[in-house]
Amino acid sequence: MKISIVFFLLTICSLFHEGINLSDGKFSNTCDKIVLEQYNVNPTTCSSNFIIKSSQSTYTIDEPIHVTIQSTLPDKKFVGIYLFAQDTKNINVGSWKITDLLIESVSCGGLMHSSKIEKTSIETVWYPSSNVVGDVMIKAIIIENDNTIYIDCYNIILTPQIINYSSFTDETSLEPNTTTTTSTTTQNTTTTTTLTTTSASGNTTQTPSPAASVSINVTWTFNNEINVTNVVMSVYNLKSSQWAAIGLGVKEAMGEAHVFMCKQLANNTIVINRYINPNKHEHPEHAGSEQGGILTPVQQQFRDGVVICQFTLSNFNIETFQQLKTISPLSQTASYHPLFAVGLLNSTNDPQKHFDDSHTALSEFVQLNQNKTILYKINSTDDGGSLTFVRVHGVIMVFTWILIISTGVLISRYFKNSWATNFICGKAAWFAAHRFLMSMGAILTVLGFLFILVFNQGSWVEKGPTRAFAHSITGVIAISFAFFQPFIALFRCEPDSRFRFIFNYIHAFVGFSAFILSIAALFLATYFRILKDTKARLFMILWIGWIGLIFIAFEIIQSYFRKKSNESGYSNINVSNTTIGEIVESPKSSTTNLTHFVQQQENTLERKLKHVLLAIHVLIAVIIAIMMTIFIFST
């Protein structure tokens, strides 16, 4: 009852408190007297049971400052606070934003806690107004219980930042005989700028944005003992008046997300802010603990050309979360797509819309309660690690399955008769070529797998409904089939064995299954960041279409000439009940009969058409493999 009366009187007091001066920075004003008189107690001796902290020690106009009151001991709680900001003239300044459901705003510019529920922390946001001059002191009255009230114990001082606005001047230089066109679209103070240069010859090129070279390394570690996630953002090549952010969204698209933004202000001061990006591409809004967890800045600095933003996310379950618009509160156990974006800050340090060439949404899923490192535009020169192993893995798999394996499959299925009279090392040419290509394919496939295994340091892709997980499953099955296929061939029956058909079916099933799975795995890989921003997916679609077309063409040719051969009376010709396609050894006797038999089995025109199709296939496979390799090394 006392708490309710006190806060009612504080609210009334606030109606006339504006402008009242305080002597020596003390709380010797009407409002603090009401608190003491109502409780009929003297102020409690200051202790270290509670702390007040801010997201940064300096302020600029309209730049939000997150202020947190929290206990230092798990068993220490409070039932009420009164929080406000005063300038050097002891006048309440700035405005407050409510980030806690159990806080009500006070009209004199402060905040008061209006709940009887005991709690260990409260977070608010203070916005400096244009009339703020000099240092600002954030002051707090903390009511632990009816008998314990802390007055003038927990204060922090914020100093003003000095911004050099000359840093915002445009220093872009253009080549001679060029013109610059800038198109600007503004909505909710969001500006998109595109720089286009036109040469004297009339050719138009897109100039990379000022943030095109920015790369980001985000690493977080989870401490399950205290349920805290520690996040470190390392931003490379970020310039003054630019921002870089990571978002966590439920969809693989730029839009609704929880956003953590690292800003480098014009004076090279580093600031970390938390936002939500509601309703697709609306202007981001400041967020607090009502959106899940409390953000506590740990370190913001510019060191050796790298911007470091370190913060923690904690206390996810101490509040009743409020869903704002369409975004659900942030959770440590939910799965999110990482979103990256980079852009400019305006003169008031608000973020402008990201550049077209400086944003991406990753297909993988991440969780805050699992240790993770995420990279944006990081290559081997950016982080001691390397994507070289990933690129080599991709190139090996592309050439192996697009060129080598596909050619080996076609030769085995459609050239047994055509190449039956030609021998290499005593083996039928089709068999020798097929065995060589498939053996090389198996060896290269295993080698490619070892490269990605080394890159992932022996760890498996996190389980979940992601393209990365699907790629890993289809890939490892295809690799397994490719590895065991040569060993299956070693134990095949003799051509005239009555069990030979079992081997034929198993060998064909395993081979075609591996080939189909490889196509799926390669297509899924086009969604990864190493290929995502290229035309690799288009080439994979072309490859899938070509594979279907080439097999259909071979089947039509073979079916047509087989039917024609049957009509000519050669359907009953056989050699020891074995088809010519099963003969792999060089015959000990003269090959005259065998050649005559093959000529009867396969028309000369059919043989030529098959060779032309095979040559076209090899050419197309080489082109697609080379293009995919270029894409792999272009990102």
Side-chain angles (χ1 to χ4, degrees):
M1 182 65 182
K2 286 184 179 180
I3 296 174
S4 300
I5 295 174
V6 168
F7 284 115
F8 171 75
L9 294 174
L10 283 174
T11 305
I12 299 299
C13 161
S14 68
L15 297 176
F16 57 85
H17 178 63
E18 185 73 39
I20 295 179
N21 290 339
L22 306 179
S23 59
D24 299 327
K26 304 293 184 182
F27 284 90
S28 56
N29 55 58
T30 306
C31 291
D32 101 85
K33 289 180 180 179
I34 289 176
V35 174
L36 297 177
E37 290 175 359
Q38 182 62 36
Y39 278 86
N40 194 25
V41 295
N42 292 321
T44 303
T45 303
C46 296
S47 72
S48 59
N49 294 338
F50 304 96
I51 59 173
I52 177 173
K53 56 185 180 180
S54 62
S55 57
Q56 55 196 77
S57 60
T58 58
Y59 72 88
T60 56
I61 303 305
D62 293 328
E63 179 70 24
I65 306 291
H66 288 257
V67 179
T68 303
I69 306 290
Q70 69 182 50
S71 61
T72 57
L73 301 173
D75 58 342
K76 281 295 181 182
K77 299 181 180 180
F78 55 88
V79 294
I81 66 163
Y82 180 56
L83 185 67
F84 56 96
Q86 291 184 333
D87 62 12
T88 54
K89 297 180 181 180
N90 298 322
I91 297 177
N92 289 354
V93 292
S95 60
W96 295 84
K97 177 184 176 183
I98 302 169
T99 65
D100 195 300
L101 296 178
L102 302 179
I103 293 179
E104 291 183 357
S105 180
V106 178
S107 59
C108 64
L111 289 176
M112 70 176 181
H113 175 5
S114 64
S115 172
K116 298 179 182 179
I117 300 176
E118 292 184 338
K119 61 198 313 178
T120 58
S121 68
I122 280 180
E123 181 186 1
T124 63
V125 180
W126 178 68
Y127 287 86
S129 54
S130 57
N131 62 344
V132 179
V133 178
D135 294 347
V136 172
M137 180 176 288
I138 308 292
K139 304 180 178 182
I141 298 175
I142 299 180
I143 304 173
E144 185 176 344
N145 52 51
D146 289 350
N147 301 314
T148 307
I149 302 175
Y150 298 97
I151 294 180
D152 200 29
C153 292
Y154 303 104
N155 310 324
I156 53 175
I157 296 177
L158 305 177
T159 57
Q161 291 181 359
I162 300 175
I163 299 178
N164 181 12
Y165 287 97
S166 63
S167 299
F168 291 97
T169 57
D170 186 6
E171 299 177 355
T172 304
S173 61
L174 300 176
E175 296 294 331
N177 300 323
T178 65
T179 60
T180 302
T181 303
T182 304
S183 60
T184 305
T185 304
T186 304
Q187 181 178 4
N188 294 332
T189 70
T190 299
T191 305
T192 303
T193 304
T194 303
L195 182 64
T196 305
T197 60
T198 304
S199 63
S201 61
N203 296 326
T204 301
T205 59
Q206 189 73 26
T207 302
S209 71
S213 62
V214 174
S215 57
I216 307 171
N217 182 326
V218 181
T219 301
W220 63 70
T221 55
F222 177 69
N223 189 327
N224 56 9
E225 295 182 359
I226 58 176
N227 201 38
V228 173
T229 302
N230 182 69
V231 184
V232 179
M233 292 179 61
S234 301
V235 187
Y236 303 83
N237 302 319
L238 193 69
K239 302 177 180 62
S240 298
S241 302
Q242 290 185 354
W243 60 265
I246 180 174
L248 300 177
V250 295
K251 298 180 180 179
E252 187 189 346
M254 306 302 291
E256 299 175 0
H258 296 272
V259 179
F260 302 94
M261 184 178 295
C262 192
K263 300 178 180 178
Q264 183 169 355
L265 307 185
N267 62 352
N268 288 329
T269 299
I270 309 303
V271 178
I272 179 71
N273 290 143
R274 178 179 180 179
Y275 295 90
I276 57 167
N277 195 31
N279 295 336
K280 296 184 179 180
H281 294 278
E282 286 188 2
H283 193 70
E285 299 180 4
H286 290 281
S289 60
E290 83 281 4
Q291 279 302 298
I294 294 178
L295 182 147
T296 303
V298 176
Q299 176 182 243
Q300 298 86 47
Q301 63 177 335
F302 183 68
R303 183 177 62 196
D304 298 329
V306 180
V307 173
I308 305 294
C309 287
Q310 182 178 3
F311 57 92
T312 61
L313 294 169
S314 59
N315 296 347
F316 279 81
N317 54 358
I318 66 172
E319 302 293 347
T320 302
F321 296 143
Q322 174 187 17
Q323 180 163 327
L324 183 60
K325 296 190 177 181
T326 59
I327 298 181
S328 298
L330 185 67
S331 170
Q332 286 177 307
T333 58
S335 296
Y336 298 100
H337 288 286
L339 316 174
F340 287 100
V342 184
L344 294 177
L345 298 172
N346 61 19
S347 59
T348 59
N349 293 322
D350 288 323
Q352 296 178 287
K353 186 178 179 181
H354 56 70
F355 296 103
D356 290 338
D357 61 356
S358 301
H359 68 89
T360 190
L362 303 186
S363 61
E364 61 184 300
F365 275 109
V366 297
Q367 290 183 195
L368 291 177
N369 62 353
Q370 298 176 354
N371 297 342
K372 188 69 176 179
T373 297
I374 312 173
L375 308 177
Y376 168 70
K377 290 188 177 181
I378 295 286
N379 55 38
S380 58
T381 61
D382 292 323
D383 64 338
S386 173
L387 289 180
T388 301
F389 285 149
V390 178
R391 301 183 197 279
V392 173
H393 164 79
V395 172
I396 289 176
M397 293 305 188
V398 162
F399 272 95
T400 298
W401 290 93
I402 288 181
L403 177 60
I404 297 175
I405 298 294
S406 65
T407 304
V409 170
L410 291 176
I411 290 174
S412 173
R413 181 164 180 81
Y414 301 110
F415 288 85
K416 289 180 179 179
N417 290 344
S418 302
W419 296 359
T421 58
N422 300 314
F423 295 89
I424 301 175
C425 297
K427 302 291 183 180
W430 73 265
F431 178 77
H434 174 74
R435 183 173 62 177
F436 172 76
L437 291 174
M438 300 315 250
S439 297
M440 286 298 300
I443 294 171
L444 290 173
T445 297
V446 174
L447 181 62
F449 173 71
L450 292 178
F451 274 103
I452 201 65
L453 193 66
V454 171
F455 175 80
N456 287 327
Q457 298 179 344
S459 62
W460 192 261
V461 177
E462 294 179 7
K463 185 178 180 180
T466 64
R467 292 189 178 98
F469 184 69
H471 172 81
S472 68
I473 294 299
T474 54
V476 78
I477 295 175
I479 291 168
S480 301
F481 283 174
F483 177 79
F484 287 108
Q485 185 76 318
F487 296 98
I488 295 174
L490 289 177
F491 296 95
R492 66 185 182 276
C493 305
E494 292 298 326
D496 17 356
S497 171
R498 62 191 183 95
F499 298 111
R500 177 69 178 215
F501 75 95
I502 298 177
F503 163 77
N504 290 342
Y505 281 122
I506 293 177
H507 191 66
F509 173 79
V510 173
F512 275 104
S513 296
F515 186 58
I516 293 172
L517 288 171
S518 73
I519 295 175
L522 289 174
F523 184 78
L524 288 170
T526 62
Y527 286 91
F528 300 158
R529 67 176 182 270
I530 200 170
L531 288 172
K532 185 173 182 179
D533 296 326
T534 66
K535 297 180 181 178
R537 195 172 308 137
L538 174 61
F539 275 84
M540 276 306 303
I541 293 174
L542 292 174
W543 169 247
I544 294 171
W546 169 252
I547 282 296
L549 181 63
I550 191 67
F551 273 95
I552 291 174
F554 269 113
E555 288 294 330
I556 291 175
I557 292 174
Q558 190 160 279
S559 176
Y560 171 77
F561 284 102
R562 182 181 297 160
K563 182 179 179 181
K564 187 175 181 180
S565 177
N566 291 340
E567 292 174 353
S568 302
Y570 295 117
S571 59
N572 295 322
I573 298 179
N574 61 78
V575 178
S576 302
N577 297 321
T578 302
T579 63
I580 190 66
E582 300 291 349
I583 300 176
V584 297
E585 300 285 349
S586 176
K588 297 179 181 179
S589 60
S590 173
T591 62
T592 304
N593 294 334
L594 180 60
T595 303
H596 176 69
F597 177 78
V598 171
Q599 290 174 345
Q600 292 176 332
Q601 287 282 303
E602 187 171 76
N603 186 282
T604 303
L605 178 59
E606 176 186 2
R607 190 179 301 112
K608 290 181 178 179
L609 288 175
K610 286 183 177 181
H611 281 90
V612 170
L613 280 179
L614 181 64
I616 295 174
H617 167 77
V618 171
L619 178 62
I620 291 177
V622 169
I623 292 174
I624 292 179
I626 291 176
M627 292 304 301
M628 293 290 287
T629 300
I630 293 173
F631 293 143
I632 289 172
F633 281 96
S634 65
T635 55

